[in-house]
Amino acid sequence: MQAGKLVLHESGMDLHDTLNKIHSLFANRAQQKDLHFTYTITPETPRYVLTDETRFLQVLSNLTSNAIKFTNEGEVSIHVDAEPLKKGQEYMLKVRVKDSGIGITDEDQKLLFTDFTQLDNSSTKTFGGTGLGLAISKQLTHLLGGDIGVESIPNDGSTFWFTIKVKKANSEEVEAQLQRMQLQNAEAEVLDFTPYVLLVDDNQINQKVAFKLLERLGCRTDVASNGYEAIDRALNNGYDMVFMDIQMPEMDGVTATSIIQEKLGNDSPPVVAMTAYSMREDAEKFMSQGMDDYISKPVKSSDLYKVIMRWHELNWKRDKAGGLTAAIDDDSEDDTIPVIDLAITEQLKEIGGAEFARQLYVEFEQEAGELLEEAKKELEAQQYKSILSTLHQLKGTGFTLGINQVAELAKILEHDIKHDQYDNVRSNFAKLLAQYENYRKTYKEIIL
């Protein structure tokens, strides 16, 4: 590939938002290997910058993917810093991806950024080559006015770094751009039914934006500004879904949710946590405290659409024992919900390229197959709690890749086992195996 064929599309970028996208994309893969995966941005680094976010993500996702792949224990960290240049508003953005993995020899380091290179040592044969991704990353960083390199000691980890030139952006302009994109997305996505939802948020601006997005999707929406209002409205109206802000004065969202679910019991609607970017790592904590799902703030139309459709298409219900079951006819299951959400596949391609996306789905086939084989043995021995970690991994990775039928069934099983509700476990696990097998047989044709 020649650099001249690469096209830049410069726009405003929220660095905190972008780093969170990378963290969210790879958190489950890191967790599966018990790696500590973090990112830091120095206070001196401007939050809003002008650059090509897609190209920036492509480079960073490639380096992050390799770091996790080549690290069996320890940690992977991303560090972002910026150095002001003489032109005032311009900065040299510096990104370092550090791992505690196998390391790279001096001889192999010289070959890393060459087209189609695959390092010919025993460690890399085990993990697979880095290859074309680094060569493209080198071209992209040069196109963005920077460079790329590596510091490594064999058996003592590696630090891949890259730099790009950026301009400091006006925060209001970037936020206005984000809002325009959200509203444009809302126009492209319209529900073919009218869910009745409750929006709970104490921030008036956030409330207005989310209300407008829900309205454009086709929702009938009520608004509450605190936990007490949310409880009052939820107990007196038959909502299909509640979008609940977590951090609110007087009463937080988790407490309000707990009271709503206690009062309404089996009639409680799904409650979706709305979590700030800085709180994404706490999402599973909220889920364990009673929230049924979550989306990130600032809220995006596409996320609202997906979470509403996810619950609507599966027609979830709470049975008399309090367990969650998916009311899907076995005969029509494959016809009503796609094996893979291709919108997510396209997003993954935008972030890291087609080969990067394809490899993620191949890895899911391998990892999920091994996890399910072990889970079958535990299930036969009635060691239900032992498969919770497997279900958690399948749920997280499945939703990340848009393999929603597998992820939803894993979510149902995880919920029921956590709450000692075993009546539907065997039948739902059989459905999970069938959905994985369906994925295994068809995914390569779908994503090509």
Side-chain angles (χ1 to χ4, degrees), residues 61-353:
S61 66
N62 184 263
L63 299 186
T64 305
S65 177
N66 287 339
I68 292 174
K69 181 194 295 185
F70 284 74
T71 305
N72 280 332
E73 60 181 359
E75 63 178 348
V76 171
S77 63
I78 302 171
H79 180 76
V80 183
D81 195 5
E83 178 184 339
L85 300 177
K86 292 182 179 179
K87 294 184 180 180
Q89 291 297 96
E90 284 194 340
Y91 287 79
M92 185 63 77
L93 198 67
K94 300 185 289 185
V95 182
R96 297 171 66 84
V97 181
K98 183 178 181 181
D99 66 62
S100 56
I102 60 177
I104 306 166
T105 64
D106 289 340
E107 182 180 352
D108 283 336
Q109 287 180 41
K110 297 173 184 177
L111 302 174
L112 269 178
F113 300 97
T114 306
D115 285 9
F116 304 109
T117 293
Q118 290 196 9
L119 304 185
D120 191 25
N121 61 47
S122 58
S123 297
T124 309
K125 285 179 180 177
T126 301
F127 291 101
T130 54
L132 186 59
L134 289 177
I136 294 175
S137 295
K138 182 177 181 179
Q139 292 181 15
L140 289 173
T141 54
H142 288 177
L143 194 62
L144 291 164
D147 203 357
I148 191 169
V150 62
E151 303 159 6
S152 184
I153 300 173
N155 302 314
D156 196 28
S158 304
T159 299
F160 281 82
W161 59 265
F162 70 95
T163 59
I164 62 171
K165 285 184 180 177
V166 300
K167 294 179 182 177
K168 186 175 181 180
N170 181 286
S171 61
E172 288 78 13
E173 291 176 354
V174 176
E175 289 171 351
Q177 173 187 304
L178 175 62
Q179 204 171 115
R180 284 196 301 272
M181 290 173 60
Q182 290 174 338
L183 295 177
Q184 287 170 0
N185 289 339
E187 291 173 358
E189 297 170 316
V190 179
L191 300 165
D192 58 4
F193 60 102
T194 307
Y196 186 23
V197 303
L198 175 63
L199 171 65
V200 188
D201 198 319
D202 68 300
N203 183 294
Q204 295 299 310
I205 293 177
N206 292 344
Q207 191 183 97
K208 288 178 181 178
V209 172
F211 181 88
K212 181 62 70 175
L213 293 175
L214 288 166
E215 182 182 59
R216 293 198 178 195
L217 284 173
C219 297
R220 176 187 168 203
T221 308
D222 288 345
V223 175
S225 297
N226 58 58
Y228 293 106
E229 285 184 20
I231 294 168
D232 180 62
R233 289 185 178 277
L235 297 186
N236 291 287
N237 299 286
Y239 295 114
D240 297 307
M241 182 171 286
V242 176
F243 291 96
M244 181 74 73
D245 187 21
I246 294 296
Q247 287 186 314
M248 294 185 292
E250 299 180 42
M251 180 186 291
D252 64 76
V254 172
T255 302
T257 297
S258 175
I259 294 172
I260 290 170
Q261 292 177 340
E262 180 184 352
K263 298 286 186 182
L264 293 179
N266 295 341
D267 294 325
S268 176
V271 181
V272 180
M274 297 191 296
T275 68
Y277 283 129
S278 61
M279 298 164 61
R280 281 291 289 271
E281 63 271 18
D282 294 326
E284 290 305 323
K285 178 184 74 176
F286 303 140
M287 300 281 278
S288 68
Q289 292 174 332
M291 316 300 281
D292 295 300
D293 215 324
Y294 74 93
I295 57 175
S296 294
K297 296 173 69 176
V299 175
K300 297 179 178 63
S301 175
S302 57
D303 291 339
L304 292 170
Y305 180 86
K306 285 171 188 172
V307 76
I308 292 170
M309 288 302 297
R310 187 154 67 227
W311 286 79
H312 175 71
E313 287 176 339
L314 284 175
N315 190 21
W316 283 40
K317 63 181 181 181
R318 296 176 194 271
D319 62 24
K320 291 180 180 178
L324 289 174
T325 59
I328 307 174
D329 295 331
D330 291 337
D331 295 337
S332 62
E333 201 164 347
D334 293 344
D335 297 329
T336 57
I337 305 173
V339 176
I340 300 172
D341 183 345
L342 291 180
I344 299 225
T345 305
E346 288 306 312
Q347 290 173 12
L348 295 173
K349 288 180 180 178
E350 287 177 10
I351 289 174

